[in-house]
Amino acid sequence: MSTPPVATPVETPGQTRGAADKWTEYWKNEGASGEVFVNAEGQKHPHLSGYWQTQFSGLATNARIIDLAAGAGSIFTHLPTHHDYELFASDLSIAALKILKQRLPQARVIAASADSLPLHSQTFDLVVSQFGVEYAGDRAFAAAADLVRDHGRLALLCHYRDGYIDARNKGQLESACEVVETGFIDKGIAMVEAVFKGEQQAFIAAQLDFVPAEKIISTAATTYRQGVHSHLYQGFRQLFANRQQYDATDITGWLEAMKEDVDRNIIRLTEMRKAASSEPKIRQICRELTQAGLRKVGYSPFSIPGSELPVAWSITAERP
């Protein structure tokens, strides 16, 4: 097998190191379940699988493929069962790459930002990314184009502004922010502490303070059934209803831990919404890919049956 096309590593800027730490924490906490657009069992949508199988079709048996901002390696789970491809993956998060290596030991991984890759130009037959490269900013698209060799191809799925995923993220983000703004967790803790101490007046006061916040989060959990706010609301309801089975610290400790979960989700959902692109933005990206020497550059909404809103932007191109 040929030598990996890795150039001299570049120094990671402080801002990039901060992003790496953030995403490493995310993957450590979420594991493979942190991938976007999977069901509760971790299964990918069949239409998504079909998209990537189409991109892999027609490749030479020894094609070299790289997944940029690969996360835990979702794209490579759609590879043909039998192949001789050379697989490479880059991501800021070492934790994500460890998961990827467990899934695909043969893949060679590179810890780097998608906009600053220590890789030689024009060395890959297929460059791919799924909900990843856009997080690294505009320069990452030119960097991706630079990796495509003669007669090679580029295929990207990018977040769609106000699409299926972004609309869901918007609702979940607003709901998570409401958890913080209403003080739901602290008010819940105060109510738990009062009831376990048997302080009736303090409990009544805490309950009166909690009810308005509870109504807001209850409505959010009904409107958006998935998300950290819903998990928090449903979990606290069950714990409080069955409080005789627990110590006070069991419930308050869980609530304190949920504060961190809420904060992490707010950060992640904010980043995902920032990464989502409008059509004018996608047109600009396509112009930049053309300027980088790619041809047959095109984009289209990627949709799935049963959804009125597109899931992603599909961007494809090739180098002549």
Side-chain angles (χ1 to χ4, degrees):
M1 189 168 285
S2 59
T3 304
V6 179
T8 303
V10 295
E11 183 178 353
T12 304
Q15 185 177 3
T16 303
R17 284 197 300 271
D21 292 342
K22 176 184 65 180
W23 283 107
T24 290
E25 181 183 14
Y26 170 75
W27 286 107
K28 281 182 177 178
N29 282 288
E30 302 295 333
S33 64
E35 293 176 347
V36 175
F37 205 53
V38 298
N39 65 17
E41 288 73 40
Q43 298 170 329
K44 281 74 176 174
H45 194 284
H47 207 61
L48 188 67
S49 181
Y51 175 88
W52 287 116
Q53 288 168 5
T54 298
Q55 300 306 323
F56 294 136
S57 66
L59 289 173
T61 55
N62 62 344
R64 177 177 279 165
I65 306 171
I66 186 166
D67 183 1
L68 303 180
S74 179
I75 292 178
F76 287 161
T77 64
H78 305 299
L79 285 164
T81 304
H82 302 290
H83 66 82
D84 293 316
Y85 301 144
E86 289 187 64
L87 303 179
F88 295 79
S90 73
D91 198 274
L92 269 177
S93 170
I94 293 175
L97 294 176
K98 285 181 178 178
I99 299 171
L100 191 152
K101 283 290 285 185
Q102 290 171 355
R103 285 173 153 181
L104 292 161
Q106 74 272 31
R108 280 173 271 184
V109 299
I110 304 139
S113 174
D115 67 341
S116 184
L117 294 162
L119 298 166
H120 291 305
S121 298
Q122 300 187 27
T123 46
F124 291 93
D125 300 287
L126 180 62
V127 177
V128 299
S129 182
Q130 175 179 290
F131 306 127
V133 70
E134 61 266 43
Y135 288 99
D138 293 353
R139 283 177 27 186
F141 291 93
D146 183 63
L147 296 177
V148 181
R149 66 174 24 154
D150 290 349
H151 310 298
R153 295 186 284 114
L154 175 81
L156 312 173
L157 285 180
C158 300
H159 283 294
Y160 191 111
R161 175 63 59 87
D162 298 323
Y164 176 84
I165 293 174
D166 188 48
R168 181 193 65 186
N169 289 344
K170 179 182 179 182
Q172 292 186 10
L173 177 59
E174 290 173 349
S175 299
C177 288
E178 285 179 333
V179 170
V180 176
E181 292 162 2
T182 61
F184 179 90
I185 293 177
D186 286 334
K187 292 174 181 180
I189 290 173
M191 192 169 65
V192 169
E193 290 175 342
V195 76
F196 270 89
K197 289 177 181 176
E199 298 174 352
Q200 186 66 15
Q201 292 302 317
F203 171 66
I204 292 172
Q207 189 177 41
L208 288 172
D209 192 33
F210 176 75
V211 166
E214 190 272 343
K215 287 182 178 179
I216 292 172
I217 305 308
S218 172
T219 299
T222 301
T223 305
Y224 302 101
R225 297 183 181 277
Q226 294 181 330
V228 69
H229 67 286
S230 184
H231 176 65
L232 167 66
Y233 176 71
Q234 300 297 342
F236 181 60
R237 281 191 64 188
Q238 292 180 18
L239 287 170
F240 194 76
N242 299 290
R243 58 187 177 276
Q244 294 86 357
Q245 302 174 25
Y246 302 97
D247 292 329
T249 54
D250 293 331
I251 303 177
T252 59
W254 182 82
L255 286 169
E256 289 287 357
M258 285 301 301
K259 281 186 180 181
E260 296 182 9
D261 281 352
V262 170
D263 289 342
R264 279 195 296 266
N265 273 267
I266 288 174
I267 292 171
R268 179 180 180 241
L269 290 166
T270 300
E271 291 296 318
M272 291 177 73
R273 295 222 66 215
K274 281 184 184 176
S277 295
S278 62
E279 186 167 8
K281 178 67 174 178
I282 292 296
R283 286 200 297 265
Q284 175 189 333
I285 289 168
C286 288
R287 287 194 293 269
E288 291 170 357
L289 293 177
T290 301
Q291 291 170 3
L294 300 189
R295 296 295 178 264
K296 296 185 178 179
V297 180
Y299 72 91
S300 62
F302 172 75
S303 300
I304 59 172
S307 174
E308 295 181 2
L309 298 174
V311 170
W313 290 109
S314 168
I315 301 176
T316 55
E318 60 184 53
R319 187 178 295 279

